[in-house]
Amino acid sequence: MTTVLRSLLQDFREGRTLPSGAPRLTWYGPGGERVELSGKVLDNWVAKSGNLLQDELDGGPGVSISLALPAHWKSFVLVLAAMDLGMLARLDGDALEDADMTATADEALVGRAGEVDTQLIAVALGALSPRWPGELPSGVVDYAGAVRGHGDVFQPWMDADPTQAVLSTGGREIDDAGLRTFATEAADGVRLLVHAGDGLPAALAAALGAWLAGGSVVLVHPEVDVTPRLRESEKISA
């Protein structure tokens, strides 16, 4: 069955609205960090992450994951992967105890691995971080260290029911069709500036709106100065 999300990932992969090699997500982080993901590469990261969640953590329909993460390109990848699996992606960090697994970059939370009733996934946010910086408690999955070893093509073990919620935020539960309503309206082909400081729910809504309109996203960390030169070089249109 073709769903809103599967159709979007197919667009990334096949380049139906933008060439698959064109940027779909560009990240500006602190210290001059810049990461650019084409549609094909973004789909590849989502596929690898989906395989990690499914193969190592038994992710799938009926399983929930809390994204206790800031707005970041890796957060976007994990949300897309979880939803594609039919998991319920919770964007409100206070839902830790209700989630089967939790992705976090918080060292303090990672250190509480034996105290919280959730499978922890430690996410190193640095672009060049090949693994979590430091020793991880037993049972915590190192996202950066594990994800690259998974397959480039994702095949779910079972198809999810598209009427079941795949996203939870602000007291709302949203199914696949509802992603179009959740997404912020955007102009066709927009090159959209998204501020990470607005938080993961708002940033994801903006990004989905741009992607569904055949556009692309420039996501900037709060410490990044959005100069006229940056706007011009990235061809930002909104």
Side-chain angles (χ1 to χ4, degrees):
M1 177 182 294
T2 301
T3 62
V4 171
L5 188 60
R6 289 278 168 88
S7 180
L8 177 61
L9 294 174
Q10 185 177 9
D11 183 13
F12 289 162
R13 186 166 54 250
E14 299 179 359
R16 292 179 300 178
T17 57
L18 277 178
S20 62
R24 277 303 185 99
L25 176 57
T26 305
W27 161 255
Y28 277 85
E33 183 177 286
R34 182 181 183 277
V35 177
E36 182 172 283
L37 284 74
S38 67
K40 187 172 183 178
V41 171
L42 179 53
D43 175 71
N44 182 256
W45 270 95
V46 173
K48 285 180 175 293
S49 299
N51 284 319
L52 168 63
L53 293 173
Q54 178 174 255
D55 298 347
E56 291 195 27
L57 299 171
D58 293 327
V63 178
S64 60
I65 180 170
S66 175
L67 281 299
L69 291 166
H72 187 276
W73 71 268
K74 291 181 181 178
S75 307
F76 284 0
V77 165
L78 278 164
V79 173
L80 292 173
M83 293 194 301
D84 191 34
L85 263 167
M87 296 175 66
L88 177 63
R90 298 180 180 274
L91 303 189
D92 303 316
D94 59 355
L96 298 185
E97 298 298 328
D98 297 328
D100 298 302
M101 59 185 83
T102 297
T104 183
D106 185 341
E107 292 184 20
L109 179 55
V110 168
R112 294 173 54 205
E115 304 170 22
V116 293
D117 188 21
T118 182
Q119 167 69 59
L120 287 175
I121 305 167
V123 183
L125 296 181
L128 300 179
S129 299
R131 61 187 62 85
W132 182 260
E135 189 172 345
L136 285 172
S138 176
V140 178
V141 173
D142 180 355
Y143 173 75
V147 70
R148 288 178 174 83
H150 284 269
D152 297 340
V153 177
F154 174 68
Q155 190 66 40
W157 292 340
M158 66 180 75
D159 285 330
D161 180 350
T163 66
Q164 295 299 306
V166 291
L167 193 65
S168 174
T169 182
R172 299 167 57 198
E173 291 200 346
I174 301 158
D175 64 9
D176 178 79
L179 292 176
R180 291 194 180 277
T181 303
F182 170 75
T184 305
E185 187 175 352
D188 289 347
V190 67
R191 179 72 165 155
L192 184 67
L193 176 67
V194 177
H195 296 279
D198 292 342
L200 182 54
L204 179 64
L208 281 173
W211 291 331
L212 290 170
S216 60
V217 171
V218 180
L219 179 65
V220 295
H221 187 277
E223 294 179 14
V224 173
D225 185 15
V226 182
T227 63
R229 181 177 180 181
L230 186 151
R231 289 177 179 272
E232 182 179 1
S233 67
E234 293 294 347
K235 298 181 173 59
I236 291 168
S237 61

